[in-house]
Amino acid sequence: MANLLIRGGTVVNADRAFRADVLCQDGKIIAVGEGLQAPTGATVVDAGGQYVMPGGIDPHTHMQLPFMGTVAVDDFFTGTAAGLAGGTTSIIDFVIPSPQQSLLEAYHTWRGWAEKSAADYGFHVAVTWWSEGVREDMGTLVQQEGINSFKHFMAYKNAIMCDDETLVNSFKRALELGAMPTVHAENGELVFLLQKEVAAMGITGPEGHPLSRPPMVEGEAANRAIAIADVLGVPIYVVHVSCIEAAEAIARARARGQRVYGEVLAGHLVLDDSVYRHPDFATAAAHVMSPPFRPTGNQEFLWRGLQSGNLQTTATDHCVFCAEQKAAGKNDFTKIPNGCGGIEERLAVIWDAGVNSGRLTPSEFVAITSANAAKLFNIYPQKGSVSVGADADLVVWDPQGSKTLSSKAQHSKGDFNIFEGRTVRGIPSHTVSQGELVFVQGDLRAVQGKGRYIKRPAFGPNFTATKLRSESLTPTPVAR
Ligand code: URP
Ligand code: ZN
Ligand code: ZN
């Protein structure tokens, strides 16, 4: 494989930024330093005036997900290709077994679908039901297949929702295995009830969606999952934290010393719930995702969570449905397939609204767009770091480049862009995946099937987060 030299840029890692050239060979970074010489035949990229950062890791995507009676339109190729165009070089997608389906069977199905991926990928595996077989499959997945995180949907009743019994059993098993439990925190029973109440008020349009999923529905589930994790002494990662109530639950637990982590979506950082009151059904429905976009005020709280370190990662929940699919809920908002895109736009939106506004430093940007996800899911510094020995997954970032985001220009197969019309300053000029240029000044060179499955090892013996708490539960017999 030819060498690639990125010359004259400022390398930004999560811990520091410094002037350096970066030399890549055979898919790895082999040197980082000033004045590096280009080996014969090397491709040279001039990064003068630009930042050289780890490629983004999107720890929450759903490519070609079968969901709510349809299938998300971006498959593993088109979705990861769109990611590469936006500077994201790895994803962690979700294997979601149907209730009663074996976890291993679902895992192999998703592995097959993902073979067409253009960028590296891994999987979280959802636990949607409980049995001895599920318990065994979790062990096989961790010990043989490189899975170190399990997802629990606390919403989507009568579909993939898991009850408290399953949560408890699965969290306990994850702890034994050194795997991270993650949760979609929304109280599915409350959502179910509120959907019926909203419908009984005669509200059938997309404006009913946020009414049926108010912030406390998320706050309750986040608090419950965190409490269960605390009792069991297992760390926990809360996906797509969208509101003050859930962010506060995480901050409170962390202040008590619990290992709790939170992820924020780019969309939740910059959009509010007014989108559901758009007069055009298709536009309002295109924003239907769960948890919904929130009233003004929640967004700033999420930014503060990222600034303070109480929230650690950003993602997109990229799960794209077109207008035709969303139309299934024309007369009933509960039937609108839940999901929005964003994998191509995440980095630029967060840079523009986060770094340009002064909310984040460039190093904090790297922390929340790649390094922290790599650490939390145990692939650091292979991913999330510009350092010798790391995978040569990089983004050369032009802080002066700008573009206006639009569905017309996006690489996703979706027909809508939730960031439509937003002009961002700070865009990728080049994306490098496995040491090769896959995006050059607007020219996308994604190769179907080039992405690799990345195994993620289990966490080590100090994984038990709250040893003291579990020790305090050790029964002491009372002499009577
Ligand atoms: O609305 C969403 N988020 N759709 C994808 C499934 C999920 O809840 O993550
Ligand atoms: Zn979710
Ligand atoms: Zn999701």
Side-chain angles (χ1 to χ4, degrees):
M1 222 186 274
N3 296 82
L4 175 71
L5 179 65
I6 302 172
R7 184 179 268 163
T10 298
V11 169
V12 186
N13 275 324
D15 60 343
R16 67 189 181 115
F18 53 100
R19 291 296 296 271
D21 304 334
V22 180
L23 182 60
C24 312
Q25 187 180 44
D26 297 332
K28 296 278 182 195
I29 297 171
I30 59 163
V32 179
E34 286 196 80
L36 297 183
Q37 294 303 310
T40 312
T43 304
V44 179
V45 171
D46 175 11
Q50 302 190 66
Y51 295 113
V52 182
M53 304 189 284
I57 300 174
D58 191 335
H60 189 153
T61 65
H62 301 281
M63 305 309 174
Q64 69 188 77
L65 175 70
F67 192 49
M68 296 184 72
T70 185
V71 179
V73 295
D74 268 327
D75 62 22
F76 279 86
F77 173 57
T78 62
T80 53
L84 292 173
T88 287
T89 50
S90 312
I91 61 166
I92 312 181
D93 205 272
F94 292 82
V95 173
I96 308 184
S98 307
Q100 308 306 316
Q101 186 185 18
S102 119
L103 269 55
L104 276 177
E105 181 186 83
Y107 166 76
H108 288 297
T109 301
W110 258 263
R111 282 291 303 269
W113 291 340
E115 276 175 15
K116 58 166 79 148
S117 189
D120 287 355
Y121 55 94
F123 288 110
H124 313 279
V125 175
V127 175
T128 52
W129 62 295
W130 192 253
S131 72
E132 227 5 73
V134 170
R135 192 175 185 286
E136 277 167 31
D137 280 0
M138 288 175 74
T140 308
L141 287 165
V142 173
Q143 286 147 6
Q144 294 173 27
E145 300 295 335
I147 297 292
N148 69 14
S149 49
F150 292 96
K151 170 79 174 285
H152 306 82
F153 290 92
M154 299 171 79
Y156 306 124
K157 182 175 160 72
N158 296 330
I160 52 177
M161 179 170 107
C162 71
D163 56 17
D164 282 2
E165 184 184 0
T166 302
L167 272 189
V168 169
N169 285 323
S170 177
F171 281 22
K172 179 104 186 117
R173 179 65 170 147
L175 175 62
E176 280 169 19
L177 294 165
M180 176 82 84
T182 79
V183 287
H184 167 134
E186 282 187 303
N187 183 317
E189 294 296 342
L190 280 173
V191 172
F192 190 69
L193 176 80
L194 293 176
Q195 284 178 333
K196 284 197 238 155
E197 290 192 357
V198 171
M201 288 178 221
I203 299 172
T204 57
E207 65 278 17
H209 180 68
L211 296 174
S212 67
R213 309 179 98 102
M216 195 45 89
V217 161
E218 184 180 338
E220 186 284 326
N223 274 299
R224 179 161 36 104
I226 289 168
I228 292 171
D230 192 23
V231 170
L232 297 176
V234 65
I236 184 171
Y237 177 96
V238 184
V239 309
H240 50 40
V241 175
S242 74
C243 62
I244 294 171
E245 286 76 355
E248 277 183 344
I250 293 169
R252 266 195 308 273
R254 289 176 64 84
R256 288 196 312 264
Q258 195 180 342
R259 275 197 192 123
V260 181
Y261 307 102
E263 165 196 283
V264 190
L265 306 184
H268 283 139
L269 285 167
V270 298
L271 299 177
D272 66 47
D273 63 347
S274 60
V275 294
Y276 299 113
R277 296 186 290 279
H278 196 283
D280 172 40
F281 169 84
T283 303
H287 291 91
V288 167
M289 64 159 300
S290 297
F293 298 110
R294 298 302 193 185
T296 309
N298 287 277
Q299 299 75 21
E300 198 53 45
F301 204 84
L302 298 177
W303 282 113
R304 288 181 170 261
L306 291 168
Q307 288 171 323
S308 66
N310 277 328
L311 302 172
Q312 295 76 28
T313 63
T314 57
T316 58
D317 204 355
H318 189 86
C319 185
V320 175
F321 300 105
C322 289
E324 206 180 294
Q325 295 167 295
K326 295 270 183 181
K330 184 84 182 101
N331 303 311
D332 177 356
F333 67 86
T334 67
K335 297 200 164 52
I336 301 171
N338 285 205
C340 296
I343 192 167
E344 185 171 350
E345 296 81 18
R346 176 180 64 129
L347 297 191
V349 165
I350 293 176
W351 181 278
D352 186 57
V355 179
N356 291 344
S357 67
R359 288 178 172 119
L360 300 172
T361 66
S363 281
E364 287 168 343
F365 173 84
V366 168
I368 64 159
T369 55
S370 65
N372 288 351
K375 289 178 190 172
L376 285 169
F377 295 112
N378 217 11
I379 45 172
Y380 186 86
Q382 178 188 357
K383 304 285 187 193
S385 167
V386 183
S387 56
V388 173
D391 284 356
D393 283 2
L394 301 162
V395 59
V396 182
W397 195 258
D398 178 0
Q400 299 309 332
S402 95
K403 82 182 217 189
T404 300
L405 304 175
S406 168
S407 63
K408 305 268 182 311
Q410 73 193 11
H411 293 86
S412 159
K413 276 168 78 183
D415 57 5
F416 193 86
N417 189 313
I418 56 170
F419 306 110
E420 185 74 34
R422 176 177 287 266
T423 299
V424 288
R425 186 164 49 82
I427 53 171
S429 66
H430 300 74
T431 306
V432 177
S433 171
Q434 300 179 47
E436 296 197 359
L437 286 165
V438 288
F439 179 77
V440 180
Q441 309 278 19
D443 174 24
L444 181 59
R445 305 173 184 176
V447 179
Q448 184 161 328
K450 193 81 205 302
R452 302 165 301 180
Y453 174 64
I454 303 296
K455 284 193 168 187
R456 296 180 294 116
F459 296 91
N462 286 335
F463 181 60
T464 307
T466 45
K467 248 194 175 136
L468 286 177
R469 171 60 70 103
S470 21
E471 276 164 11
S472 76
L473 290 172
T474 307
T476 310
V478 178
R480 291 201 176 86

